[in-house]
Every structure is written in structure tokens, then in C-alpha cells.
């Protein structure tokens, strides 16, 4: 009996142990399958090939780009004054007013001059009448002398009277003209189109010739004057492409042309003045505004140039580009260090490290790795 019970107990343990092992084995297999689903083997997944844009390295004339600071000026800016003295009776415009050439700006009290003008008119008219009467008497004396009814000396005397009266008449006519000019100068008109930047006179004020009463500034045909080192005088004399940048139009280059080279400007600073004229109208600039003049000077050299977007600059001063290798229809990139020179028109002069005909990456070069496979962006 005891042997039978021991046999049954042993058999039961073995049965439970086998079931437990099978259960644990199934659970492990389930966990392994689950791990395989959640965490697949990444080594078998292909890495994506990044798209890039490239440009071919080429040779080009090397341009030195000068950036010069100057000021906008007006071709006409003057302090105007009256030509005669007098009391200001009327002021027609104030500061900030736009006027056209010939517009009446100011009037002086002209009552006395008007009376003098009228008197000169009367004197000139009287002298004209005397000339007419003298000529009439001369004709009578000449007819009488011709018919032997009068002496010849009477004719000569009448002819002399005509000459004297004519001279008197010419004198009064000149005086009348002078009075007309003086009277007209009691009215001050605008000498050119522009804006009154400053008014310096009031009604009731006595002004003298040379006393500035208005400051008038022309508001078109602006120019920009900039000082330029004397080393560039010869190249600028041969012509150059120029443009203007102003703060009111940030980032925009205004086309322009060279208006004049003023060779003697500041002998101590060894500079001359370059006058640049914008070729576009309706530009939002005013006299006195600061401006930058961009000058493209041809250095006379040709060199390898590359798009500036291809450059990778490092904090330690290194400059590199990613060069495209196209072998057997498999494209990859190699990083190459270069030395650069002048920068102009979005291009950079390459002093060493690249040759014409090579292709460099200009877009998509931010996170490339050495030897990485790439594809051309569509």
C-alpha cells in the first residue's frame, strides 16, 4: 500500500511538472513573437536616400564689389530772397508746400513803386507826343524850303528838335522799363519746381536784398554723392555697373548710372566724389537721406566660382563644400575643404580646392555625411 501511494505521488508530480514546463515554454514563445512584432530588426531596413540640388563649378570674370555710404542730394536747393528791399505784405506759401516754377510766393508793399511807374508812363507818353509834334514841324519846314518859301536853316533846326525830343522819349521809355522791373521785383516767384523746406519771413517784416525768405528744394532728379578711395579712380573712369540701396526699400537694389567723377574732393583723405544717378523714378527718397552705393568693378581676372549656397562654414574657420561623385549610376558625396576670395552676385571666388566642371551640392547639404548616397531632386 505504501509503495502504491509513493508511486502515485511521484507520477502526479511528474505530470504537473511537465504541464508547467509546457505552459512556460508557450509563454516564452509568445513573448518572443511579440518582441519581434514590436521591435523589428532595423538592420534589414534600407536607409532613405536624401534628395539634393547641384550646380556645376565654372569659371567667370571676378568682380570686386564695393559698398560705399553716401547721402542723397537734390540738383537744386537754394535759399531764395527778394531783389529789392521792402515791407512784406503777403506770404502765399508756408513750409512743406509744393510749388511750381513761376508760382507767386511773396509780395512786398508796392504802392510807391506803382505811383512811380505811372509817373514814368505819363512822362514817356508826353515825350512821344513831343516827338510827333517835332516831326510835324519838320515836315512843314521841309515843304516850305522845297518851294522856296522858307529858309533851309529852319529845316535843320526842326530836324535837331526831332533828334532831341526822340532822345528824351528814349530816356523816359528806359525809365518806364526800369520802373516796371522794380515793380515786378516786389513779387517773388519760385525759380524751379520743388518744396519749401523752410519759411523765414512774416508779414510786416522789412527785408533787404540777399535776406533769405524761403528755402526751396527740388524733389526730382535726385543724386547720391559718395567718397571713394583714389585707388579706384582709373577703373571708375572706364565705367562700372552701379546700384543704390536705401533704408526705405530694404533688400532692393535700385538701378543707377555714374553721373560724374569729381576728382578733387578731399586731398587730405585721398578721396574723390562719385556722383550716382538713379535710373528709376518715383523712389521714396528725400535729400539728406543716407544711401549705399554698390559698385561692381571688373578685376580683369577669370577664376573658378561657386554658388555661395554650396559653402559650409565651421566655427574654426574651415570652409567646405560637398562634391558629387557619380560612378556607375551611384551618386554619393565627398566633403572637400576650399579657400575662397571675393564674393559677388551670389558667387564666391574659389582660390583652391575645386576645379571647373565639378558638381557641388547647393541644396540639401545641411546634414550630409562622408560617402553618403544621394539622389537628384526632381
Amino acid at each position: 500500500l505504501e509503495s502504491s501511494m509513493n508511486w502515485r505521488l511521484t507520477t502526479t508530480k511528474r505530470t504537473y511538472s511537465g504541464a508547467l514546463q509546457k505552459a512556460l515554454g508557450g509563454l516564452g514563445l509568445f513573448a518572443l513573437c511579440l518582441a519581434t512584432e514590436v521591435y523589428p530588426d532595423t538592420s534589414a531596413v534600407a536607409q532613405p536616400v536624401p534628395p539634393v540640388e547641384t550646380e556645376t563649378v565654372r569659371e567667370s570674370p571676378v568682380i570686386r564689389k564695393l559698398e560705399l555710404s553716401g547721402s542723397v542730394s537734390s540738383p537744386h536747393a537754394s535759399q531764395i530772397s527778394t531783389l529789392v528791399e521792402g515791407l512784406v505784405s503777403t506770404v502765399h506759401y508756408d513750409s512743406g508746400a509744393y510749388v511750381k516754377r513761376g508760382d507767386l510766393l511773396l509780395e512786398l508793399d508796392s504802392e510807391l513803386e506803382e505811383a512811380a511807374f505811372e509817373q514814368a508812363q505819363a512822362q514817356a507818353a508826353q515825350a512821344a507826343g513831343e516827338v510827333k509834334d517835332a516831326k510835324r514841324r519838320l515836315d512843314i519846314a521841309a515843304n516850305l524850303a522845297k518851294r522856296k518859301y522858307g529858309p533851309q536853316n529852319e529845316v535843320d533846326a526842326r530836324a535837331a528838335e526831332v533828334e532831341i525830343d526822340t532822345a528824351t522819349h528814349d530816356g523816359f521809355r528806359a525809365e518806364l522799363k526800369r520802373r516796371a522791373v522794380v515793380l515786378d521785383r516786389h513779387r517773388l516767384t519760385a525759380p524751379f519746381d520743388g518744396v519749401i523746406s523752410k519759411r523765414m519771413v512774416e508779414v510786416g517784416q522789412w527785408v533787404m536784398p540777399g535776406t533769405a525768405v524761403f528755402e526751396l528744394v527740388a524733389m526730382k532728379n535726385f543724386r547720391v554723392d559718395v567718397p571713394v578711395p583714389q585707388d579706384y579712380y582709373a577703373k571708375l573712369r572706364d565705367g562700372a555697373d552701379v546700384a543704390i540701396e536705401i533704408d526705405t526699400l530694404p533688400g532692393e537694389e535700385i538701378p543707377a548710372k555714374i553721373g560724374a567723377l569729381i576728382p578733387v574732393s578731399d586731398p587730405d583723405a585721398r578721396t574723390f566724389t562719385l556722383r550716382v544717378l538713379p535710373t528709376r523714378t518715383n523712389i521714396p527718397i528725400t535729400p539728406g537721406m543716407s544711401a549705399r552705393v554698390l559698385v561692381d568693378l571688373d578685376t580683369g581676372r577669370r577664376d573658378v566660382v561657386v554658388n555661395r549656397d554650396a559653402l559650409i562654414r565651421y566655427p574654426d574657420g574651415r570652409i567646405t563644400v560637398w562634391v558629387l561623385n557619380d560612378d556607375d549610376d551611384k551618386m554619393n558625396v565627398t566633403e572637400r575643404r576650399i579657400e575662397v576670395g571675393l564674393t559677388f552676385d551670389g558667387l564666391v571666388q574659389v582660390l583652391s580646392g575645386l576645379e571647373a566642371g565639378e558638381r557641388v551640392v547647393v541644396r540639401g547639404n545641411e546634414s550630409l555625411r562622408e560617402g553618403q548616397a544621394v539622389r537628384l531632386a526632381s
Side-chain angles (χ1 to χ4, degrees), residues 89-377:
S89 60
T90 308
V91 178
H92 293 280
Y93 291 97
D94 203 348
S95 299
Y98 286 84
V99 297
K100 294 183 178 181
R101 180 179 180 180
D103 285 349
L104 183 60
L105 306 179
L106 174 146
E107 293 181 78
L108 299 179
D109 182 17
S110 59
E111 184 176 0
L112 294 178
E113 286 301 328
E114 289 174 359
F117 176 76
E118 292 175 358
Q119 182 180 8
Q121 276 184 316
Q123 290 174 339
Q126 180 181 354
E130 291 176 354
V131 171
K132 185 178 180 181
D133 185 63
K135 289 181 177 180
R136 182 185 62 80
R137 293 196 299 268
L138 174 60
D139 290 340
I140 295 174
N143 289 330
L144 291 176
K146 184 177 181 181
R147 290 180 294 175
K148 306 300 182 180
Y149 293 133
Q152 183 61 36
N153 61 351
E154 183 67 19
V155 176
D156 296 338
R158 297 302 180 187
E161 289 182 4
V162 170
E163 292 180 0
I164 294 172
D165 290 341
T166 300
T168 303
H169 180 226
D170 291 340
F172 282 124
R173 286 176 57 193
E175 177 63 14
L176 177 63
K177 183 178 179 180
R178 188 185 74 84
R179 289 295 179 183
V181 171
V182 172
L183 182 61
D184 184 66
R185 290 181 178 180
H186 281 67
R187 297 159 51 89
L188 179 64
T189 58
F192 52 83
D193 297 351
V195 62
I196 297 176
S197 60
K198 191 175 182 181
R199 166 184 162 180
M200 297 167 283
V201 68
E202 297 292 341
V203 174
Q205 181 178 343
W206 185 269
V207 295
M208 299 289 292
T211 302
V213 293
F214 290 105
E215 189 175 82
L216 185 62
V217 180
M219 297 302 292
K220 60 181 180 180
N221 300 327
F222 293 118
R223 64 253 185 115
V224 179
D225 293 339
V226 293
V228 183
Q230 63 181 5
D231 299 341
Y232 301 110
Y233 180 79
K235 291 186 175 297
L236 286 174
R237 187 179 55 185
D238 297 335
D241 294 332
V242 294
I244 299 173
E245 284 186 350
I246 55 175
D247 295 336
T248 54
L249 297 173
E252 181 177 349
E253 292 188 6
I254 302 170
K257 63 180 180 180
I258 295 178
L261 294 176
I262 305 174
V264 180
S265 178
D266 190 349
D268 295 332
R270 299 294 189 269
T271 62
F272 65 95
T273 298
L274 170 66
R275 177 162 293 167
V276 178
L277 308 177
T279 57
R280 203 178 83 189
T281 58
N282 299 324
I283 306 172
I285 57 177
T286 59
M289 184 180 294
S290 63
R292 292 174 298 281
V293 175
L294 309 178
V295 183
D296 291 343
L297 290 178
D298 190 350
T299 61
R301 295 181 51 190
R302 290 183 63 88
D303 212 338
V304 175
V305 296
V306 67
N307 192 313
R308 64 182 178 185
D309 292 336
L311 271 57
I312 305 295
R313 299 181 183 271
Y314 290 93
D316 60 0
R318 288 182 299 127
I319 301 177
T320 65
V321 296
W322 289 100
V323 180
L324 182 70
N325 302 316
D326 188 1
D327 297 329
D328 300 330
D329 296 331
K330 293 182 179 180
M331 297 183 183
N332 57 57
V333 291
T334 300
E335 190 174 21
R336 189 181 301 174
R337 185 169 180 174
I338 63 173
E339 294 183 8
V340 300
L342 299 175
T343 300
F344 58 96
D345 299 333
L347 302 175
V348 179
Q349 178 189 13
V350 179
L351 302 178
S352 64
L354 282 177
E355 295 182 0
E358 294 186 291
R359 296 169 67 185
V360 294
V361 179
V362 296
R363 298 286 188 279
N365 54 355
E366 296 83 4
S367 57
L368 296 178
R369 301 188 306 275
E370 182 68 26
Q372 183 176 3
V374 296
R375 62 183 175 87
L376 297 181

